[in-house]
Amino acid sequence: PLVRAYEVFRDAVSKVSGVARTVRGPSMSCEPGKVAVMGLLNDMMILQFLQARNPEWMKNPFLAKYDENATWLDELTPYDGAESFFFQKELDQMVHAGMSSGQMTDDIIQSKFVKPKTKILNGSKSLNGVKSMNGNVANGASSKSAVKKSQNIVIMKPSEQQQQQAQETAN
């Protein structure tokens, strides 16, 4: 069990010199990342990511209810009474998207989890509001990079009435 592993670690570290005390406590490599048991306090376990699928998860420790029988992260429950730990929803999205383990870059997170805004322009859809005069996204390119460079530009095909008005004005 995790509690027993932490107690063995704590007792062993208390008997060594200061040089050896730079070692980290018991940790488990699990689906969201590498999680260490940092300590026990009253009815809570203090946990922290040493590595995580999303590096933001590593910034702060998190708490689980003390459970002397739990042997892995998925057997623990959040201390605050929440249904799941803070990272679970995002982890589920990553797993659903088929992401492999390891740290993810901002570009991967942006491309996999941030849905592009779709707008209707003159009866047809466009990605992020970007549409060229010929109806193709970003001047005929469909690559994400072409769309990304043009995110702030909206080119709308004029309606037939607008085209007639323009021709009449020109004549």
Side-chain angles (χ1 to χ4, degrees):
L2 294 171
V3 170
R4 180 70 183 128
Y6 179 76
E7 290 169 347
V8 168
F9 167 78
R10 183 190 59 210
D11 293 344
V13 167
S14 70
K15 296 175 184 172
V16 298
S17 71
V19 174
R21 291 187 186 189
T22 59
V23 66
R24 291 183 174 155
S27 64
M28 56 197 129
S29 186
C30 40
E31 194 167 32
K34 190 170 291 187
V35 179
V37 178
M38 304 302 286
L40 305 172
L41 184 63
N42 300 325
D43 62 342
M44 68 182 92
M45 299 173 70
I46 304 165
L47 307 170
Q48 185 158 14
F49 280 102
L50 301 175
Q51 281 184 302
R53 286 193 184 215
N54 180 344
E56 291 294 312
W57 300 349
M58 296 170 48
K59 291 186 176 179
N60 295 306
F62 58 103
L63 304 175
K65 291 180 183 173
Y66 181 93
D67 183 345
E68 64 184 25
N69 297 314
T71 59
W72 213 251
L73 182 64
D74 61 359
E75 296 174 4
L76 295 173
T77 56
Y79 185 76
D80 63 4
E83 193 173 307
S84 60
F85 287 109
F86 73 94
F87 56 84
Q88 191 63 51
K89 184 177 179 180
E90 187 176 356
L91 175 64
D92 291 344
Q93 290 174 333
M94 290 175 185
V95 170
H96 180 71
M99 298 305 299
S100 63
S101 62
Q103 292 184 336
M104 298 175 57
T105 64
D106 290 341
D107 291 341
I108 292 171
I109 292 170
Q110 185 73 18
S111 69
K112 291 283 186 181
F113 307 113
V114 178
K115 293 182 181 178
K117 297 175 187 172
T118 302
K119 295 181 182 179
I120 304 295
L121 300 177
N122 295 328
S124 60
K125 289 184 178 181
S126 67
L127 185 63
N128 288 328
V130 179
K131 188 171 181 178
S132 70
M133 295 299 282
N134 65 6
N136 293 326
V137 176
N139 295 324
S142 60
S143 71
K144 290 181 182 177
S145 61
V147 172
K148 190 172 186 176
K149 290 177 187 172
S150 303
Q151 281 182 352
N152 296 326
I153 300 171
V154 177
I155 304 170
M156 296 177 65
K157 183 177 179 181
S159 68
E160 288 181 33
Q161 182 181 10
Q162 290 171 326
Q163 288 176 0
Q164 281 181 332
Q165 288 175 347
Q167 282 181 341
E168 290 172 5
T169 306
N171 293 334

